[in-house]
Amino acid sequence: MRRNWAARLRSVTIDGLRAVVLENERLRVTVVPGKGGDVVEFLHKPTDTDFVWLSPQGLRDPAHHLQGAADDVAQFVDHYEGGWQEIFPSGGAPSEYRGARLAQHGEVAGLPWDCAVTADSEEEVAVRLSVRTRRLPYRVDKTFRLRAGTAALEVESSVHNESDLELHAMWGQHIVFGRPFLRPGARIRLPEGVTVIPHETAVNPRGRRVRAGGPWSWPVVPADGGGGTDLSVVPEPGTPGDVVYLTGFTEGWYEIVADVGMRVEWDAEVLPYLWMWQELGAWQDYPWWGRLYTVGLEPFAGMPTDGLARAVANGTALTLGPRGTRTLTMRAEVLA
């Protein structure tokens, strides 16, 4: 039943891609099954705050990638609109696993997903998305649920090995924050006891914020070039970007707070790492051209951002037994 009150659903088309809107009195969340199940809007209505950062290039359909040189990185970044992506079965750079060549951030982020309504009442709405990978024998299911009167999106996901072999995967939630929500001085809060593992090398040609080595204790870590860097405080535009990996979570949660904030909770037994990606406008060349001011806080199984083969080699990849399934629950709630 079509409603304009309480919990409700709408099917829409955005830039030629099919999308679904989950809405209640406090939140409006837009999901794009036509492109990876991406979340492209997470709007807190009372404060008119959208927590989703949108790329200057906007939403693009990967099916229209007809020009340009063949490139396993460009397939993702040329169609990266920001927001929140499901990353599976490989995270980060292109990689080869058991003969399968996997592009940047794996397979499912750019694929069209099936979508079905599983709840549609004044009390709650929910949609279930499903997709099969094309180079590895996996199926991924994801349910988005919004209950009336809350400022929280609930997410239930599962990955299924449809073969009779034991296989590996990296599984992550590519959640990125930016303007207008994000600003210098915004704070990032984590549980006690978290440690910081820097990426081995600088990911930004203009330098890095965190000295290689570690692990270090959160939040103040040795800065590249001396002194300290407080990773819990979002820095000014123009600061060199970096990637670090946070681990040691007894509880899976973080909070990022500016004028308002968001708390993200997840099962840390399934995704034991939190990738922190900061690109703060210092990258002047392709693909960012100095236009990004973003912080990604991305729960992950496996590290570093070098692809599945590296995570298998260092023992951090997720293992799925023959016909095996792993499940994940998450919650993203506005703090206001």
Side-chain angles (χ1 to χ4, degrees):
M1 175 183 175
R2 174 88 182 210
R3 290 179 305 281
N4 289 322
W5 65 90
R8 62 262 202 194
L9 282 170
R10 284 185 298 123
S11 295
V12 299
T13 300
I14 304 175
D15 296 324
L17 290 161
R18 58 192 174 90
V20 61
V21 180
L22 299 87
E23 188 171 3
N24 67 9
E25 305 90 332
R26 303 178 67 186
L27 280 185
R28 186 170 69 233
V29 178
T30 300
V31 179
V32 185
K35 179 187 177 292
D38 292 5
V39 177
V40 298
E41 180 184 37
F42 197 110
L43 180 74
H44 182 237
K45 294 161 71 173
T47 60
D48 196 31
T49 301
D50 191 357
F51 289 87
V52 163
W53 169 73
L54 296 175
S55 163
Q57 67 190 21
L59 184 61
R60 297 171 173 175
D61 188 343
H64 298 159
H65 190 75
L66 302 178
Q67 303 296 327
D71 185 331
D72 283 345
V73 173
Q75 182 62 30
F76 180 86
V77 299
D78 286 359
H79 303 94
Y80 176 53
E81 78 285 357
W84 176 351
Q85 287 77 37
E86 188 87 13
I87 303 299
F88 187 87
S90 182
S95 181
E96 185 171 314
Y97 174 71
R98 297 176 67 164
R101 180 73 182 175
L102 301 170
Q104 177 84 12
H105 282 322
E107 297 195 68
V108 303
L111 294 178
W113 294 46
D114 295 329
C115 180
V117 176
T118 57
D120 186 3
S121 71
E122 294 181 26
E123 290 74 34
E124 69 173 51
V125 291
V127 292
R128 185 184 186 192
L129 278 60
S130 299
V131 69
R132 281 185 166 88
T133 55
R134 298 178 177 178
R135 297 197 171 182
L136 297 179
Y138 285 123
R139 187 182 86 246
V140 182
D141 299 309
K142 188 171 188 177
T143 297
F144 294 94
R145 187 179 311 275
L146 184 61
R147 303 181 193 273
T150 71
L153 178 69
E154 301 171 32
V155 184
E156 306 142 22
S157 302
S158 56
V159 292
H160 314 271
N161 177 0
E162 298 190 319
S163 81
D164 293 321
L165 305 172
E166 181 177 272
L167 297 175
H168 298 91
M170 298 175 82
W171 189 9
Q173 306 297 319
H174 195 276
I175 306 172
V176 177
F177 301 92
R179 292 179 169 132
F181 160 67
L182 194 71
R183 58 170 174 75
R187 308 289 302 205
I188 298 167
R189 304 169 182 159
L190 300 177
E192 296 290 333
V194 169
T195 58
V196 179
I197 303 172
H199 193 66
E200 289 181 351
T201 59
V203 297
N204 190 306
R206 297 196 171 211
R208 60 187 303 172
R209 297 189 67 206
V210 181
R211 194 175 78 202
W216 321 112
S217 295
W218 170 272
V220 179
V221 300
D224 192 49
T229 293
D230 188 348
L231 291 175
S232 70
V233 180
V234 176
E236 296 289 332
T239 304
D242 215 336
V243 173
V244 300
Y245 311 98
L246 309 171
T247 191
F249 288 89
T250 55
E251 300 175 292
W253 65 265
Y254 66 76
E255 295 175 353
I256 180 167
V257 180
D259 296 325
V260 293
M262 179 180 284
R263 179 182 174 95
V264 176
E265 300 174 354
W266 74 96
D267 185 348
E269 291 187 4
V270 180
L271 308 183
Y273 298 96
L274 182 67
W275 295 13
M276 176 186 283
W277 169 48
Q278 296 185 336
E279 177 46 56
L280 304 163
W283 193 300
Q284 301 292 306
D285 301 316
Y286 175 84
W288 309 131
W289 305 112
R291 298 188 296 175
L292 268 66
Y293 182 75
T294 59
V295 172
L297 293 170
E298 310 167 26
F300 249 92
M303 60 156 283
T305 180
D306 292 333
L308 178 55
R310 179 73 183 279
V312 172
N314 68 22
T316 64
L318 192 71
T319 300
L320 288 99
R323 304 289 167 177
T325 295
R326 300 296 297 269
T327 60
L328 173 70
T329 59
M330 296 188 67
R331 179 182 174 91
E333 181 172 12
V334 175
L335 306 173

